[in-house]
PDB file of all heavy atoms in Angstrom:
ATOM      1  N   VAL X   1      28.215  36.482   7.135  1.00  0.00           N
ATOM      2  CA  VAL X   1      29.327  36.439   8.101  1.00  0.00           C
ATOM      3  C   VAL X   1      30.542  37.151   7.523  1.00  0.00           C
ATOM      4  O   VAL X   1      31.206  37.936   8.225  1.00  0.00           O
ATOM      5  CB  VAL X   1      29.649  34.981   8.459  1.00  0.00           C
ATOM      6  CG1 VAL X   1      30.956  34.911   9.276  1.00  0.00           C
ATOM      7  CG2 VAL X   1      28.515  34.355   9.250  1.00  0.00           C
ATOM      8  N   LEU X   2      30.855  36.906   6.251  1.00  0.00           N
ATOM      9  CA  LEU X   2      31.986  37.607   5.621  1.00  0.00           C
ATOM     10  C   LEU X   2      31.764  39.113   5.581  1.00  0.00           C
ATOM     11  O   LEU X   2      32.710  39.908   5.813  1.00  0.00           O
ATOM     12  CB  LEU X   2      32.197  37.067   4.201  1.00  0.00           C
ATOM     13  CG  LEU X   2      32.842  35.687   4.081  1.00  0.00           C
ATOM     14  CD1 LEU X   2      32.795  35.194   2.651  1.00  0.00           C
ATOM     15  CD2 LEU X   2      34.294  35.732   4.565  1.00  0.00           C
ATOM     16  N   ALA X   3      30.534  39.525   5.319  1.00  0.00           N
ATOM     17  CA  ALA X   3      30.237  40.952   5.261  1.00  0.00           C
ATOM     18  C   ALA X   3      30.421  41.597   6.645  1.00  0.00           C
ATOM     19  O   ALA X   3      30.986  42.693   6.756  1.00  0.00           O
ATOM     20  CB  ALA X   3      28.820  41.182   4.748  1.00  0.00           C
ATOM     21  N   GLN X   4      29.906  40.946   7.700  1.00  0.00           N
ATOM     22  CA  GLN X   4      30.058  41.500   9.036  1.00  0.00           C
ATOM     23  C   GLN X   4      31.530  41.535   9.435  1.00  0.00           C
ATOM     24  O   GLN X   4      32.000  42.518  10.019  1.00  0.00           O
ATOM     25  CB  GLN X   4      29.248  40.648  10.042  1.00  0.00           C
ATOM     26  CG  GLN X   4      27.750  40.723   9.843  1.00  0.00           C
ATOM     27  CD  GLN X   4      27.214  42.122  10.050  1.00  0.00           C
ATOM     28  OE1 GLN X   4      27.774  42.918  10.794  1.00  0.00           O
ATOM     29  NE2 GLN X   4      26.124  42.441   9.324  1.00  0.00           N
ATOM     30  N   PHE X   5      32.265  40.466   9.131  1.00  0.00           N
ATOM     31  CA  PHE X   5      33.689  40.458   9.450  1.00  0.00           C
ATOM     32  C   PHE X   5      34.431  41.556   8.682  1.00  0.00           C
ATOM     33  O   PHE X   5      35.352  42.187   9.210  1.00  0.00           O
ATOM     34  CB  PHE X   5      34.273  39.079   9.114  1.00  0.00           C
ATOM     35  CG  PHE X   5      35.716  38.926   9.512  1.00  0.00           C
ATOM     36  CD1 PHE X   5      36.082  38.647  10.805  1.00  0.00           C
ATOM     37  CD2 PHE X   5      36.719  39.047   8.554  1.00  0.00           C
ATOM     38  CE1 PHE X   5      37.425  38.521  11.163  1.00  0.00           C
ATOM     39  CE2 PHE X   5      38.067  38.923   8.887  1.00  0.00           C
ATOM     40  CZ  PHE X   5      38.414  38.656  10.200  1.00  0.00           C
ATOM     41  N   GLY X   6      34.045  41.775   7.449  1.00  0.00           N
ATOM     42  CA  GLY X   6      34.682  42.819   6.650  1.00  0.00           C
ATOM     43  C   GLY X   6      34.376  44.219   7.099  1.00  0.00           C
ATOM     44  O   GLY X   6      35.059  45.168   6.671  1.00  0.00           O
ATOM     45  N   ASN X   7      33.357  44.383   7.971  1.00  0.00           N
ATOM     46  CA  ASN X   7      33.001  45.718   8.475  1.00  0.00           C
ATOM     47  C   ASN X   7      33.730  46.069   9.776  1.00  0.00           C
ATOM     48  O   ASN X   7      33.522  47.157  10.296  1.00  0.00           O
ATOM     49  CB  ASN X   7      31.485  45.802   8.724  1.00  0.00           C
ATOM     50  CG  ASN X   7      30.719  45.856   7.436  1.00  0.00           C
ATOM     51  OD1 ASN X   7      31.234  46.338   6.403  1.00  0.00           O
ATOM     52  ND2 ASN X   7      29.507  45.338   7.451  1.00  0.00           N
ATOM     53  N   GLY X   8      34.526  45.168  10.297  1.00  0.00           N
ATOM     54  CA  GLY X   8      35.207  45.504  11.540  1.00  0.00           C
ATOM     55  C   GLY X   8      35.800  44.318  12.246  1.00  0.00           C
ATOM     56  O   GLY X   8      36.158  44.424  13.445  1.00  0.00           O
ATOM     57  N   GLY X   9      35.911  43.161  11.623  1.00  0.00           N
ATOM     58  CA  GLY X   9      36.536  42.024  12.245  1.00  0.00           C
ATOM     59  C   GLY X   9      35.665  41.373  13.275  1.00  0.00           C
ATOM     60  O   GLY X   9      34.435  41.484  13.261  1.00  0.00           O
ATOM     61  N   PHE X  10      36.319  40.734  14.235  1.00  0.00           N
ATOM     62  CA  PHE X  10      35.578  40.047  15.292  1.00  0.00           C
ATOM     63  C   PHE X  10      34.704  40.975  16.117  1.00  0.00           C
ATOM     64  O   PHE X  10      33.607  40.595  16.520  1.00  0.00           O
ATOM     65  CB  PHE X  10      36.546  39.259  16.190  1.00  0.00           C
ATOM     66  CG  PHE X  10      37.157  38.081  15.506  1.00  0.00           C
ATOM     67  CD1 PHE X  10      38.534  37.943  15.407  1.00  0.00           C
ATOM     68  CD2 PHE X  10      36.375  37.098  14.938  1.00  0.00           C
ATOM     69  CE1 PHE X  10      39.115  36.874  14.789  1.00  0.00           C
ATOM     70  CE2 PHE X  10      36.947  36.007  14.290  1.00  0.00           C
ATOM     71  CZ  PHE X  10      38.326  35.894  14.217  1.00  0.00           C
ATOM     72  N   PRO X  11      35.150  42.176  16.459  1.00  0.00           N
ATOM     73  CA  PRO X  11      34.254  43.073  17.210  1.00  0.00           C
ATOM     74  C   PRO X  11      32.953  43.364  16.473  1.00  0.00           C
ATOM     75  O   PRO X  11      31.900  43.512  17.108  1.00  0.00           O
ATOM     76  CB  PRO X  11      35.097  44.339  17.383  1.00  0.00           C
ATOM     77  CG  PRO X  11      36.501  43.869  17.354  1.00  0.00           C
ATOM     78  CD  PRO X  11      36.515  42.746  16.349  1.00  0.00           C
ATOM     79  N   ALA X  12      32.991  43.481  15.114  1.00  0.00           N
ATOM     80  CA  ALA X  12      31.746  43.710  14.349  1.00  0.00           C
ATOM     81  C   ALA X  12      30.816  42.507  14.459  1.00  0.00           C
ATOM     82  O   ALA X  12      29.598  42.675  14.609  1.00  0.00           O
ATOM     83  CB  ALA X  12      32.100  44.012  12.891  1.00  0.00           C
ATOM     84  N   LEU X  13      31.367  41.298  14.356  1.00  0.00           N
ATOM     85  CA  LEU X  13      30.544  40.098  14.551  1.00  0.00           C
ATOM     86  C   LEU X  13      29.960  40.067  15.951  1.00  0.00           C
ATOM     87  O   LEU X  13      28.801  39.677  16.144  1.00  0.00           O
ATOM     88  CB  LEU X  13      31.375  38.848  14.297  1.00  0.00           C
ATOM     89  CG  LEU X  13      31.587  38.442  12.814  1.00  0.00           C
ATOM     90  CD1 LEU X  13      32.564  37.271  12.732  1.00  0.00           C
ATOM     91  CD2 LEU X  13      30.268  38.066  12.168  1.00  0.00           C
ATOM     92  N   GLU X  14      30.751  40.476  16.933  1.00  0.00           N
ATOM     93  CA  GLU X  14      30.269  40.502  18.307  1.00  0.00           C
ATOM     94  C   GLU X  14      29.093  41.460  18.458  1.00  0.00           C
ATOM     95  O   GLU X  14      28.074  41.144  19.094  1.00  0.00           O
ATOM     96  CB  GLU X  14      31.417  40.903  19.238  1.00  0.00           C
ATOM     97  CG  GLU X  14      31.106  40.865  20.714  1.00  0.00           C
ATOM     98  CD  GLU X  14      31.354  39.489  21.313  1.00  0.00           C
ATOM     99  OE1 GLU X  14      31.805  38.602  20.599  1.00  0.00           O
ATOM    100  OE2 GLU X  14      31.082  39.351  22.492  1.00  0.00           O
ATOM    101  N   ARG X  15      29.217  42.631  17.869  1.00  0.00           N
ATOM    102  CA  ARG X  15      28.118  43.590  17.964  1.00  0.00           C
ATOM    103  C   ARG X  15      26.873  43.087  17.229  1.00  0.00           C
ATOM    104  O   ARG X  15      25.739  43.320  17.672  1.00  0.00           O
ATOM    105  CB  ARG X  15      28.575  44.944  17.362  1.00  0.00           C
ATOM    106  CG  ARG X  15      29.619  45.665  18.180  1.00  0.00           C
ATOM    107  CD  ARG X  15      29.846  47.090  17.680  1.00  0.00           C
ATOM    108  NE  ARG X  15      30.389  47.075  16.339  1.00  0.00           N
ATOM    109  CZ  ARG X  15      31.675  47.104  16.053  1.00  0.00           C
ATOM    110  NH1 ARG X  15      32.565  47.070  17.041  1.00  0.00           N
ATOM    111  NH2 ARG X  15      32.090  47.133  14.806  1.00  0.00           N
ATOM    112  N   PHE X  16      27.085  42.400  16.104  1.00  0.00           N
ATOM    113  CA  PHE X  16      25.937  41.852  15.376  1.00  0.00           C
ATOM    114  C   PHE X  16      25.219  40.810  16.220  1.00  0.00           C
ATOM    115  O   PHE X  16      23.966  40.797  16.280  1.00  0.00           O
ATOM    116  CB  PHE X  16      26.459  41.225  14.068  1.00  0.00           C
ATOM    117  CG  PHE X  16      25.381  40.543  13.273  1.00  0.00           C
ATOM    118  CD1 PHE X  16      24.479  41.259  12.511  1.00  0.00           C
ATOM    119  CD2 PHE X  16      25.253  39.154  13.302  1.00  0.00           C
ATOM    120  CE1 PHE X  16      23.473  40.625  11.795  1.00  0.00           C
ATOM    121  CE2 PHE X  16      24.260  38.509  12.579  1.00  0.00           C
ATOM    122  CZ  PHE X  16      23.378  39.270  11.821  1.00  0.00           C
ATOM    123  N   LEU X  17      25.960  39.935  16.896  1.00  0.00           N
ATOM    124  CA  LEU X  17      25.322  38.936  17.744  1.00  0.00           C
ATOM    125  C   LEU X  17      24.584  39.566  18.919  1.00  0.00           C
ATOM    126  O   LEU X  17      23.468  39.152  19.266  1.00  0.00           O
ATOM    127  CB  LEU X  17      26.368  37.950  18.273  1.00  0.00           C
ATOM    128  CG  LEU X  17      26.959  36.947  17.266  1.00  0.00           C
ATOM    129  CD1 LEU X  17      27.990  36.078  17.952  1.00  0.00           C
ATOM    130  CD2 LEU X  17      25.877  36.086  16.667  1.00  0.00           C
ATOM    131  N   ASP X  18      25.195  40.579  19.510  1.00  0.00           N
ATOM    132  CA  ASP X  18      24.550  41.228  20.653  1.00  0.00           C
ATOM    133  C   ASP X  18      23.247  41.911  20.274  1.00  0.00           C
ATOM    134  O   ASP X  18      22.332  42.022  21.093  1.00  0.00           O
ATOM    135  CB  ASP X  18      25.517  42.242  21.277  1.00  0.00           C
ATOM    136  CG  ASP X  18      26.724  41.592  21.932  1.00  0.00           C
ATOM    137  OD1 ASP X  18      26.636  40.383  22.224  1.00  0.00           O
ATOM    138  OD2 ASP X  18      27.747  42.278  22.141  1.00  0.00           O
ATOM    139  N   GLY X  19      23.176  42.342  19.025  1.00  0.00           N
ATOM    140  CA  GLY X  19      21.974  43.057  18.611  1.00  0.00           C
ATOM    141  C   GLY X  19      20.899  42.164  18.004  1.00  0.00           C
ATOM    142  O   GLY X  19      19.712  42.553  17.976  1.00  0.00           O
ATOM    143  N   LYS X  20      21.247  40.972  17.514  1.00  0.00           N
ATOM    144  CA  LYS X  20      20.291  40.136  16.779  1.00  0.00           C
ATOM    145  C   LYS X  20      19.965  38.800  17.471  1.00  0.00           C
ATOM    146  O   LYS X  20      18.920  38.225  17.174  1.00  0.00           O
ATOM    147  CB  LYS X  20      20.858  39.843  15.376  1.00  0.00           C
ATOM    148  CG  LYS X  20      21.115  41.081  14.523  1.00  0.00           C
ATOM    149  CD  LYS X  20      19.843  41.823  14.163  1.00  0.00           C
ATOM    150  CE  LYS X  20      20.140  42.984  13.231  1.00  0.00           C
ATOM    151  NZ  LYS X  20      18.892  43.748  12.866  1.00  0.00           N
ATOM    152  N   VAL X  21      20.820  38.332  18.326  1.00  0.00           N
ATOM    153  CA  VAL X  21      20.663  36.983  18.875  1.00  0.00           C
ATOM    154  C   VAL X  21      20.389  37.068  20.369  1.00  0.00           C
ATOM    155  O   VAL X  21      21.055  37.831  21.087  1.00  0.00           O
ATOM    156  CB  VAL X  21      21.941  36.145  18.616  1.00  0.00           C
ATOM    157  CG1 VAL X  21      21.784  34.733  19.176  1.00  0.00           C
ATOM    158  CG2 VAL X  21      22.228  36.087  17.122  1.00  0.00           C
ATOM    159  N   PRO X  22      19.401  36.328  20.871  1.00  0.00           N
ATOM    160  CA  PRO X  22      19.151  36.291  22.306  1.00  0.00           C
ATOM    161  C   PRO X  22      20.400  35.872  23.080  1.00  0.00           C
ATOM    162  O   PRO X  22      21.232  35.108  22.591  1.00  0.00           O
ATOM    163  CB  PRO X  22      18.040  35.264  22.460  1.00  0.00           C
ATOM    164  CG  PRO X  22      17.361  35.256  21.131  1.00  0.00           C
ATOM    165  CD  PRO X  22      18.431  35.494  20.132  1.00  0.00           C
ATOM    166  N   ALA X  23      20.510  36.362  24.303  1.00  0.00           N
ATOM    167  CA  ALA X  23      21.718  36.161  25.087  1.00  0.00           C
ATOM    168  C   ALA X  23      22.007  34.703  25.338  1.00  0.00           C
ATOM    169  O   ALA X  23      23.180  34.269  25.305  1.00  0.00           O
ATOM    170  CB  ALA X  23      21.587  36.902  26.419  1.00  0.00           C
ATOM    171  N   ASP X  24      20.950  33.876  25.555  1.00  0.00           N
ATOM    172  CA  ASP X  24      21.184  32.476  25.879  1.00  0.00           C
ATOM    173  C   ASP X  24      21.624  31.645  24.670  1.00  0.00           C
ATOM    174  O   ASP X  24      22.042  30.516  24.800  1.00  0.00           O
ATOM    175  CB  ASP X  24      19.946  31.858  26.495  1.00  0.00           C
ATOM    176  CG  ASP X  24      18.729  31.982  25.585  1.00  0.00           C
ATOM    177  OD1 ASP X  24      18.785  32.804  24.641  1.00  0.00           O
ATOM    178  OD2 ASP X  24      17.731  31.264  25.806  1.00  0.00           O
ATOM    179  N   GLN X  25      21.533  32.246  23.461  1.00  0.00           N
ATOM    180  CA  GLN X  25      21.906  31.509  22.252  1.00  0.00           C
ATOM    181  C   GLN X  25      23.187  32.042  21.597  1.00  0.00           C
ATOM    182  O   GLN X  25      23.654  31.506  20.607  1.00  0.00           O
ATOM    183  CB  GLN X  25      20.767  31.593  21.224  1.00  0.00           C
ATOM    184  CG  GLN X  25      19.451  31.023  21.698  1.00  0.00           C
ATOM    185  CD  GLN X  25      18.364  31.131  20.685  1.00  0.00           C
ATOM    186  OE1 GLN X  25      18.616  31.385  19.491  1.00  0.00           O
ATOM    187  NE2 GLN X  25      17.111  30.971  21.107  1.00  0.00           N
ATOM    188  N   ARG X  26      23.759  33.106  22.170  1.00  0.00           N
ATOM    189  CA  ARG X  26      24.894  33.763  21.498  1.00  0.00           C
ATOM    190  C   ARG X  26      26.122  32.879  21.427  1.00  0.00           C
ATOM    191  O   ARG X  26      26.820  32.871  20.410  1.00  0.00           O
ATOM    192  CB  ARG X  26      25.210  35.061  22.216  1.00  0.00           C
ATOM    193  CG  ARG X  26      24.182  36.156  22.015  1.00  0.00           C
ATOM    194  CD  ARG X  26      24.465  37.374  22.874  1.00  0.00           C
ATOM    195  NE  ARG X  26      23.365  38.318  22.839  1.00  0.00           N
ATOM    196  CZ  ARG X  26      23.215  39.331  23.680  1.00  0.00           C
ATOM    197  NH1 ARG X  26      24.115  39.550  24.623  1.00  0.00           N
ATOM    198  NH2 ARG X  26      22.170  40.124  23.592  1.00  0.00           N
ATOM    199  N   GLN X  27      26.402  32.155  22.483  1.00  0.00           N
ATOM    200  CA  GLN X  27      27.598  31.348  22.471  1.00  0.00           C
ATOM    201  C   GLN X  27      27.518  30.263  21.393  1.00  0.00           C
ATOM    202  O   GLN X  27      28.471  30.015  20.670  1.00  0.00           O
ATOM    203  CB  GLN X  27      27.827  30.711  23.833  1.00  0.00           C
ATOM    204  CG  GLN X  27      29.153  30.009  24.008  1.00  0.00           C
ATOM    205  CD  GLN X  27      30.331  30.975  23.894  1.00  0.00           C
ATOM    206  OE1 GLN X  27      30.246  32.122  24.274  1.00  0.00           O
ATOM    207  NE2 GLN X  27      31.448  30.481  23.332  1.00  0.00           N
ATOM    208  N   THR X  28      26.339  29.642  21.281  1.00  0.00           N
ATOM    209  CA  THR X  28      26.173  28.594  20.270  1.00  0.00           C
ATOM    210  C   THR X  28      26.258  29.172  18.859  1.00  0.00           C
ATOM    211  O   THR X  28      26.937  28.606  17.968  1.00  0.00           O
ATOM    212  CB  THR X  28      24.802  27.904  20.465  1.00  0.00           C
ATOM    213  OG1 THR X  28      24.754  27.364  21.789  1.00  0.00           O
ATOM    214  CG2 THR X  28      24.617  26.789  19.454  1.00  0.00           C
ATOM    215  N   VAL X  29      25.585  30.296  18.631  1.00  0.00           N
ATOM    216  CA  VAL X  29      25.615  30.932  17.316  1.00  0.00           C
ATOM    217  C   VAL X  29      27.041  31.407  16.995  1.00  0.00           C
ATOM    218  O   VAL X  29      27.493  31.329  15.847  1.00  0.00           O
ATOM    219  CB  VAL X  29      24.614  32.094  17.259  1.00  0.00           C
ATOM    220  CG1 VAL X  29      24.721  32.831  15.930  1.00  0.00           C
ATOM    221  CG2 VAL X  29      23.191  31.584  17.468  1.00  0.00           C
ATOM    222  N   ALA X  30      27.736  31.916  18.025  1.00  0.00           N
ATOM    223  CA  ALA X  30      29.103  32.386  17.803  1.00  0.00           C
ATOM    224  C   ALA X  30      30.012  31.227  17.348  1.00  0.00           C
ATOM    225  O   ALA X  30      30.848  31.394  16.420  1.00  0.00           O
ATOM    226  CB  ALA X  30      29.673  33.009  19.069  1.00  0.00           C
TER     227      ALA X  30
END
């Protein structure tokens, strides 16, 4: 999580979730 945040802040974490986590689970994982 720190690495993803360090690559671009919250938008980088958002892109990571969109690419790795199913849509119905993204809010919980976020």
Side-chain angles (χ1 to χ4, degrees):
V1 171
L2 285 171
Q4 293 298 331
F5 184 80
N7 288 332
F10 290 124
L13 280 174
E14 185 87 2
R15 291 190 296 269
F16 176 78
L17 288 179
D18 292 341
K20 301 294 185 180
V21 179
D24 58 344
Q25 301 178 16
R26 288 173 189 167
Q27 188 64 32
T28 302
V29 175

